[in-house]
């Protein structure tokens, strides 16, 4: 039962990440950070122009930070909270699920299965 719950945690985590589009938002945050660095390195801009450009980027970066932090907490906390709730009902054990999530064979299997799933989904989207 704990193995099933561990798999549900992993799938739930991935589903929430995808549902909230967190990978794309993380890429957007990285791109905006690079844009800020380019503004700072641009010698053709005055200090006032740099400040104005950075302030507009900062608002977006803080918004993205909130979304990424909150989404990550939800992605991990939701499935683990469900397992904790089931533990309280006497179905499975929370510590047992955490133990399975930390096992190297489970992690390796998750990486392999996740890579295959990602490749299949990517192929399906491009076709």
């Amino acid at each position: 039962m704990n193995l099933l719950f561990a798999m549900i945690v992993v799938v739930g985590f991935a589903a929430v990440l995808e549902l909230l589009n967190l990978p794309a938002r993380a890429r957007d945050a990285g791109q905006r950070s690079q844009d800020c660095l380019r503004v700072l390195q641009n010698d053709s801009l005055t200090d006032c122009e740099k400040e104005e450009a950075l302030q507009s980027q900062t608002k977006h970066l803080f918004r993205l930070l909130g979304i990424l932090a909150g989404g990550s907490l939800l992605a991990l906390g939701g499935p683990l909270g469900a397992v904790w709730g089931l533990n309280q009902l006497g179905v499975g054990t929370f510590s047992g699920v955490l133990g399975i999530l930390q096992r190297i064979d489970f992690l390796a299997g998750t990486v392999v299965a996740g890579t295959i799933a990602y490749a299949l989904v990517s192929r399906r989207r491009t076709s």
Side-chain angles (χ1 to χ4, degrees), residues 30-49:
Q31 182 61 48
R32 287 182 184 275
S33 297
Q34 289 176 354
D35 292 345
C36 289
L37 187 59
R38 278 191 218 96
V39 167
L40 288 173
Q41 294 172 341
N42 189 344
D43 292 334
S44 68
L45 297 175
T46 67
D47 285 345
C48 289
E49 291 171 329

Side-chain angles (χ1 to χ4, degrees), residues 84-108:
W84 178 83
L86 289 170
N87 179 66
Q88 298 303 311
L89 296 173
V91 181
T93 63
F94 187 73
S95 60
V97 171
L98 288 179
I100 290 172
L101 288 170
Q102 295 173 14
R103 285 187 1 213
I104 192 72
D105 59 333
F106 183 81
L107 292 171

